[in-house]
Amino acid sequence: MRGAIVAIALLLPAAVVAQTPARSSAFELRMDGILARRATMTHIGLGVTRPMSRNVQLQLVVGAGATVREDNDPRASGRADLLARFAPPPGGASAWGAYASGGVGALVEREVDGRAVLVLLLGVRKGDVFFEAGLGGGVRLGIGVRL
């Protein structure tokens, strides 16, 4: 009896670990446009996504580029977003998958005060390519690829 208890105690943790999903981070390269009433921003960015559970991921995106305002004078700008993404697993490797993201972002621009924004996005992905649209400092459109 004691031997059976010891065997279960040794084998049970290995079985539980084998069922736990891998927690590796994924990187992405992306291009985003933010279309606001008085400004248009275009950013190239890098994102890192970390799974928090089977369907929820935490994402950090940092981007830099240019902002054009009403005076048509481009200015350096950037942004950082911290998002939670609800992403049900797609049906297969070749299937399209949909997801929703929400969180906060910071928009900064040379010679203009930075501001915090609420970000809400809907996206679709197929394989390593994704497309997003939503709101956050204006209407956002994005495209990218996982690395």
Side-chain angles (χ1 to χ4, degrees):
M1 179 73 172
R2 185 183 296 172
I5 292 173
V6 170
I8 290 172
L10 292 174
L11 295 176
L12 186 60
V16 170
V17 168
Q19 295 176 10
T20 304
R23 299 253 182 203
S24 63
S25 298
F27 293 92
E28 61 190 35
L29 183 62
R30 53 188 301 132
M31 185 171 85
D32 298 285
I34 303 174
L35 311 167
R37 187 174 1 154
R38 295 189 180 114
T40 300
M41 298 166 234
T42 305
H43 294 148
I44 301 293
L46 183 65
V48 62
T49 303
R50 174 100 173 139
M52 302 308 289
S53 70
R54 180 182 169 122
N55 296 327
V56 177
Q57 303 165 346
L58 187 64
Q59 181 181 35
L60 175 65
V61 176
V62 178
T67 297
V68 178
R69 292 194 168 270
E70 295 167 334
D71 60 5
N72 288 329
D73 183 24
R75 299 178 179 137
S77 65
R79 77 171 203 289
D81 298 325
L82 182 60
L83 306 169
R85 178 188 290 170
F86 175 73
S94 64
W96 287 91
Y99 60 89
S101 297
V104 295
L107 300 174
V108 294
E109 182 182 340
R110 189 177 54 179
E111 301 174 7
V112 176
D113 290 335
R115 61 191 170 118
V117 295
L118 179 64
V119 180
L120 300 171
L121 300 169
L122 294 176
V124 293
R125 65 178 181 226
K126 183 173 183 179
D128 291 333
V129 178
F130 62 89
F131 306 94
E132 295 177 340
L135 301 171
V139 175
R140 289 187 178 214
L141 301 171
I143 184 172
V145 62
R146 277 194 214 194
L147 303 176

